[in-house]
Amino acid sequence: MNTPSPSTQAHLLSSVEDAETRLEQVGYLASAEIATASFLADRLQKPILVEGPAGVGKTELARALGQALGREFIRLQCYEGLDEAKALYEWEYAKQLLYTQLLKDKIGEMVQGTGTLSEAADRLASSDAVFFSERFLLPRPVLKALLSDTPALLLVDEIDKADPEFEAFLLEVLSDNAVTIPELGTFKAKHVPRVVLTSNNARELSDALKRRCLHLHIDFPDRERELRIIRKRLPEVSRTLAEQVVEAVAAIRKLDLKKAPSISETLDWVQSLALLNAESLTADMVAATLNLVLKHEGDIQKAKSNLAQIAQA
């Protein structure tokens, strides 16, 4: 394991309790499992794989952990077809072309006296290093996290949406904390980045990835924790209304839905009800505002057919 440099030592989490406190200071109310995984990932310098349904706060955990550690937050959003070039680096071709135009007189001097195209090409090849140098290198999230002058946290969001080949490439880079660029050589990380990978379980991830990561599964919060989140984020909302919304959301999540309400949608619902001057959550108010927590018409209709159950909750 790499020894943390003095510049990063001050930001290390000292204990599970310290992790919980620091996460709460930046607005994230962590469970004991989340705080423990965050502490271990920081001290072991290992990636943490966070799995769970959409909307439970996986991305928000990565953002909060970066703030709690005082690290630059860098995000790589995964999608089908994502390749090494888009995640690691690419060359600024437009800038290279501009330099070519500006240096065309110099290039003319270089090829002067050559008798064939082959000879001219050979002379120009000797200057490849000029155009494939760091001044034309455009770092993408992975390389940016490795080369950052300040300690960084890299979020690889929704890794399950990327192809298995990209998953294998990412593992190799993160295992060595280094990358080789053919034209420039090998770049080692200036500071070992903290890495958070998230997954919505769209596909099964490889055993190789799981072995190299700490694992954390986040589900929807229990009623007590969700109420704490609402009270922290929206302290102006009455406790009675917040409690009623938490119970109603819990009842909605028990239905067979295409997408259960996320924590952010719960917050939107509470805030909207407060703006509507609702003092309590009636059946009519639930019916009128279900579109704030459910995003599919089929789910809304299913909830309306269970309106009495939701309102009574």
Side-chain angles (χ1 to χ4, degrees):
M1 185 175 70
N2 293 324
T3 302
S5 65
S7 62
T8 61
Q9 187 74 41
H11 296 292
L12 286 175
L13 298 174
S14 60
S15 64
V16 173
E17 293 73 20
D18 182 39
E20 187 174 356
T21 299
R22 283 207 234 172
L23 286 170
E24 184 170 353
Q25 287 173 346
V26 296
Y28 191 95
L29 297 178
S31 64
E33 293 81 4
I34 293 173
T36 301
S38 299
F39 166 69
L40 293 175
D42 181 42
R43 296 304 292 269
L44 295 174
Q45 301 188 48
K46 292 191 67 171
I48 178 171
L49 173 60
V50 187
E51 296 186 293
V56 295
K58 301 186 295 295
T59 299
E60 188 60 30
L61 169 61
R63 197 184 306 276
L65 186 58
Q67 290 180 315
L69 295 171
R71 288 174 170 263
E72 179 186 2
F73 179 74
I74 300 173
R75 179 177 181 175
L76 172 63
Q77 178 63 51
C78 296
Y79 53 87
E80 187 176 351
L82 176 65
D83 59 18
E84 177 181 333
K86 296 182 179 67
L88 196 55
Y89 73 93
E90 62 181 335
W91 296 106
E92 289 192 273
Y93 296 114
K95 191 174 179 181
Q96 288 171 325
L97 181 60
L98 175 61
Y99 270 60
T100 303
Q101 294 296 319
L102 294 174
L103 298 174
K104 62 182 179 180
D105 292 338
K106 189 65 177 177
I107 293 172
E109 292 176 14
M110 288 179 61
V111 299
Q112 190 174 7
T114 56
T116 65
L117 286 175
S118 178
E119 289 179 26
D122 287 341
R123 286 199 187 177
L124 290 176
S126 65
S127 300
D128 279 353
V130 174
F131 292 96
F132 289 95
S133 59
E134 288 191 54
R135 67 159 58 90
F136 298 110
L137 188 67
L138 184 62
R140 291 304 185 189
V142 174
L143 184 60
K144 187 177 179 183
L146 293 175
L147 300 185
S148 176
D149 290 327
T150 58
L153 182 142
L154 173 64
L155 166 63
V156 183
D157 214 3
E158 299 181 308
I159 181 64
D160 51 324
K161 288 187 177 179
D163 301 322
E165 294 79 10
F166 177 76
E167 184 183 322
F169 150 74
L170 188 65
L171 268 178
E172 183 180 354
V173 174
L174 296 179
S175 295
D176 298 334
N177 289 304
V179 62
T180 298
I181 299 175
E183 297 86 352
L184 299 176
T186 300
F187 290 82
K188 293 284 292 182
K190 295 181 179 179
H191 304 279
V192 176
R194 299 297 178 265
V195 182
V196 176
L197 303 96
T198 70
S199 168
N200 295 333
N201 297 313
R203 68 170 175 85
E204 186 67 23
L205 299 174
S206 69
D207 289 338
L209 177 67
K210 292 182 177 181
R211 281 198 307 270
R212 287 167 172 79
C213 298
L214 298 178
H215 182 264
L216 173 65
H217 183 273
I218 300 180
D219 209 336
F220 292 108
D222 57 30
R223 289 170 173 78
E224 181 183 351
R225 182 163 166 253
E226 192 155 24
L227 181 59
R228 285 180 61 212
I229 292 171
I230 293 173
R231 298 292 292 161
K232 186 171 183 64
R233 295 287 186 89
L234 303 171
E236 71 280 3
V237 173
S238 74
R239 184 180 183 88
T240 299
L241 181 60
E243 289 174 342
Q244 291 179 345
V245 169
V246 166
E247 295 297 334
V249 168
I252 291 172
R253 286 177 181 151
K254 290 179 181 178
L255 302 176
D256 183 19
L257 303 174
K258 186 173 183 179
K259 183 185 178 301
S262 67
I263 298 173
S264 62
E265 287 159 347
T266 301
L267 291 168
D268 288 343
W269 198 15
V270 174
Q271 192 169 26
S272 298
L273 290 168
L275 289 172
L276 293 170
N277 297 316
E279 296 180 358
S280 62
L281 196 58
T282 63
D284 288 342
M285 186 61 74
V286 172
T289 56
L290 273 173
N291 61 303
L292 296 172
V293 285
L294 297 173
K295 306 304 181 184
H296 299 277
E297 185 58 29
D299 289 349
I300 293 175
Q301 295 305 320
K302 190 171 291 185
K304 285 184 176 179
S305 66
N306 292 272
L307 205 56
Q309 172 188 344
I310 295 170
Q312 287 172 3

